[in-house]
Amino acid sequence: MPYRTIIEPFKIHSTQAIDFPDADAREAALQRVGYNVFGLHADEVIIDMLTDSGTGAMSARQWAGMMVGDESYAGSRSFYRLQEAVQDLTGLAEIIPTHQGRAAERILFSVAVSAGDVVPNNTHFDTTRANVEYQGAEARDLLIPEGTDPSNLHPFKGNMDIEALEATIQDVGQHRIPFVMVTVTNNSGGGQPVSMANLQAVREVCDRNELPMILDACRFAENAWFIKMREEGYADHTPKAIAREIFSLADGCTFSAKKDGLANIGGFVAVNDADLAGRCRNLLILTEGFPTYGGLAGYDMEAIAIGLEEVLEDEYLRYRIRSTAYLAEKALAAGMPIVQPPGGHAVYLDARARLPHIPPSEYPAQSLVVELYRDGGVRGVEIGSVMFGSPNEDGSEDPAPMELVRLAIPRRTYTQSHVDYVGEVIGSVAARADSLPGYRITEQAPWLRHFTARFEPVHP
Ligand code: F0G
């Protein structure tokens, strides 16, 4: 077949207008929010790549499904529909709906993690880490070394370091590890996939040490597509068959339906252990809601059940992963180094490489985030020392392993010309990168400081 552009596999059926704040309005907004783009009103943003979480467009099928949502408090038909969809996909028996991913984390960790425990993960997402630490446990990241080298082209840079996992178990003792977690795809490490072989190896270590294996499955479908494209033996498998194989290796998962659930809200815990599920449900009733809705409306559960089917369609995943690669090509052509190869849901600009004059203590990735907004109203998120730097007692900070800006792509929301525009903004910022200032924090919270911290530029 002749070469053809991979097009959006949908027609646009309803639209939302974009506002275009001018340069003065953007400057005033930056000062008001203390150079933290989390403080912006969405109407002050032209292209919003802050997150791919809950920001996607739903299909007409999902909206239609919402109209038949059953809002019964107990025993909602929509819950049983969701339960069936999740059981069919994951093979896991006990399905506990929650209002989003971090609620699933808090509920599972509250009942399964104790103070002094160590939770291994390829890389904890920020809320996952915070929820582990909130239990008084240590969240330990055990990514393969290739995973933190932005230019390394390893096809599965989300893989867990199996030797490091075994060493951790030896070192801290099996009894202090409640479970081993694997995040697919590895969001904080660049949206990089985990191979089936690596998942099998983790399973094998878990079996040998009688440890449960829990997936942070937010982006399972994108991970399945990468396995289909890159791992030997999977080219002819459907994404659904691959996804099922991934889940078949696990004893449970936490899930945010705001990603590969193609929904605006929702999540769940799914496990096989009925006793564990019972304890989760008791806490669920206390803080989220009755076990057949868990903080969701019936219509949300309908949207998720349908989203879980649509997200595994070949046409959708081919377009999805291609649109991310397309943004990556634009960034590279604009002279901006990125984490290679591009991940599933986002492109990660490498601020350390392009802004070497700003030390990690002055947050080069924060500087880049500010400039993308100032230049063209594009909102990304810092994934570097603001998010992951750890303060020392003397007031200094250990820097994060990488200084990245994540441009996450909402699902089914922006077109190719939106992405072309983002490429132009990146080019304009890259051209004057050498003159950008560092930043210092003027206010911060004790946890998850990146959401609310205020900054000021450091002018040499
Ligand atoms: N795990 C991973 C890997 C995530 O990426 C997220 C959310 C969560 C858990 C928590 O889910 O938001 O529904 O509570 N990631 C979003 C992001 C916020 O922008 O990457 P949640």
Side-chain angles (χ1 to χ4, degrees):
M1 203 165 101
Y3 174 80
R4 291 279 192 280
T5 301
I6 295 170
I7 60 173
E8 288 85 358
F10 48 80
K11 298 183 286 184
I12 294 169
H13 175 265
S14 69
T15 65
Q16 281 186 317
I18 293 176
D19 283 341
F20 291 92
D22 63 17
D24 289 343
R26 297 199 297 271
E27 196 60 52
L30 279 174
Q31 290 187 18
R32 188 192 78 235
V33 301
Y35 300 94
N36 186 338
V37 296
F38 276 103
L40 294 170
H41 296 203
D43 286 346
E44 292 169 326
V45 176
I46 297 175
I47 303 286
D48 204 347
M49 296 192 156
L50 185 74
T51 179
D52 63 320
S53 180
T55 51
M58 291 204 294
S59 66
R61 259 185 84 212
Q62 284 176 293
W63 285 110
M66 289 180 79
M67 290 303 289
V68 296
D70 176 7
E71 304 304 338
S72 302
Y73 188 96
S76 158
R77 178 175 12 87
S78 302
F79 167 73
Y80 292 107
R81 177 155 191 209
L82 174 65
Q83 177 172 263
E84 204 181 307
V86 179
Q87 286 172 338
D88 177 58
L89 171 66
T90 65
L92 295 163
E94 308 280 344
I95 313 303
I96 300 160
T98 60
H99 79 272
Q100 64 182 90
R102 68 198 70 181
E105 291 163 1
R106 190 187 64 83
I107 285 180
L108 180 65
F109 300 172
S110 296
V111 303
V113 178
S114 310
D117 282 355
V118 175
V119 176
N121 199 326
N122 44 354
T123 312
H124 291 82
F125 180 65
D126 58 357
T127 62
T128 322
R129 166 173 293 280
N131 271 300
V132 168
E133 290 173 354
Y134 191 67
Q135 300 301 325
E138 179 193 333
R140 196 175 288 188
D141 292 343
L142 302 174
L143 189 64
I144 55 167
E146 293 89 336
T148 49
D149 171 4
S151 60
N152 194 302
L153 286 170
H154 191 291
F156 291 102
K157 285 171 83 171
N159 281 355
M160 183 170 270
D161 184 333
I162 300 296
E163 273 176 34
L165 175 61
E166 294 196 273
T168 294
I169 298 169
Q170 281 285 320
D171 179 33
V172 304
Q174 181 266 6
H175 62 286
R176 277 179 56 211
I177 300 179
F179 46 74
V180 176
M181 248 183 137
V182 186
T183 306
V184 293
T185 58
N186 185 32
N187 182 5
S188 309
Q192 301 293 331
V194 181
S195 71
M196 194 72 84
N198 188 254
L199 289 163
Q200 284 161 346
V202 173
R203 174 77 260 173
E204 207 262 315
V205 173
C206 286
D207 280 345
R208 235 182 313 113
N209 293 282
E210 292 179 15
L211 289 172
M213 173 173 164
I214 303 290
L215 295 172
D216 177 342
C218 295
R219 298 179 181 82
F220 72 96
E222 291 169 7
N223 202 97
W225 187 259
F226 281 119
I227 289 175
K228 182 176 169 72
M229 292 295 117
R230 296 182 184 169
E231 192 160 355
E232 209 182 312
Y234 287 94
D236 297 333
H237 293 220
T238 62
K240 181 157 187 180
I242 297 170
R244 279 181 162 156
E245 190 174 335
I246 292 173
F247 282 109
S248 75
L249 296 166
D251 298 291
C253 72
T254 55
F255 183 69
S256 167
K258 303 176 75 169
K259 287 81 173 175
D260 279 349
L262 297 182
N264 298 126
I265 197 73
F268 53 78
V269 178
V271 291
N272 272 331
D273 181 339
D275 176 61
L276 178 66
R279 286 184 287 138
C280 287
R281 286 194 186 100
N282 290 339
L283 187 57
L284 188 83
I285 293 173
L286 193 67
T287 60
E288 288 275 299
F290 191 71
T292 58
Y293 73 87
L296 294 173
Y299 55 66
D300 295 322
M301 295 189 282
E302 292 284 340
I304 298 165
I306 297 166
L308 288 174
E309 286 171 20
E310 292 183 351
V311 78
L312 287 166
E313 287 168 6
D314 272 44
E315 291 307 324
Y316 165 75
L317 283 169
R318 181 176 296 114
Y319 138 79
R320 171 73 177 157
I321 300 304
R322 174 60 199 146
S323 58
T324 307
Y326 183 77
L327 174 59
E329 287 164 14
K330 291 280 158 189
L332 286 170
M336 185 65 73
I338 63 165
V339 174
Q340 293 276 29
H345 65 297
V347 171
Y348 293 69
L349 311 181
D350 187 349
R352 185 174 289 171
R354 190 64 196 83
L355 282 62
H357 62 289
I358 304 177
S361 58
E362 291 178 9
Y363 312 122
Q366 184 64 22
S367 177
L368 195 49
V369 165
V370 168
E371 227 55 38
L372 291 169
Y373 177 72
R374 177 178 275 141
D375 191 281
V378 174
R379 178 158 69 169
V381 68
E382 196 262 13
I383 302 200
S385 292
V386 177
M387 192 181 271
F388 289 121
S390 40
N392 297 318
E393 290 193 350
D394 64 359
S396 67
E397 278 180 22
D398 289 334
M402 296 190 272
E403 302 293 340
L404 305 177
V405 174
R406 184 184 75 170
L407 297 178
I409 308 180
R411 292 171 180 76
R412 307 190 288 203
T413 302
Y414 291 121
T415 65
Q416 191 166 332
S417 65
H418 290 118
V419 175
D420 289 339
Y421 172 86
V422 174
E424 289 158 14
V425 173
I426 295 172
S428 153
V429 171
R432 53 192 175 77
D434 299 341
S435 64
L436 301 183
Y439 282 79
R440 79 166 67 86
I441 294 180
T442 58
E443 263 178 60
Q444 59 180 304
W447 285 289
L448 299 174
R449 66 178 181 179
H450 53 283
F451 288 122
T452 53
R454 292 180 69 86
F455 301 85
E456 63 187 19
V458 180
H459 290 290

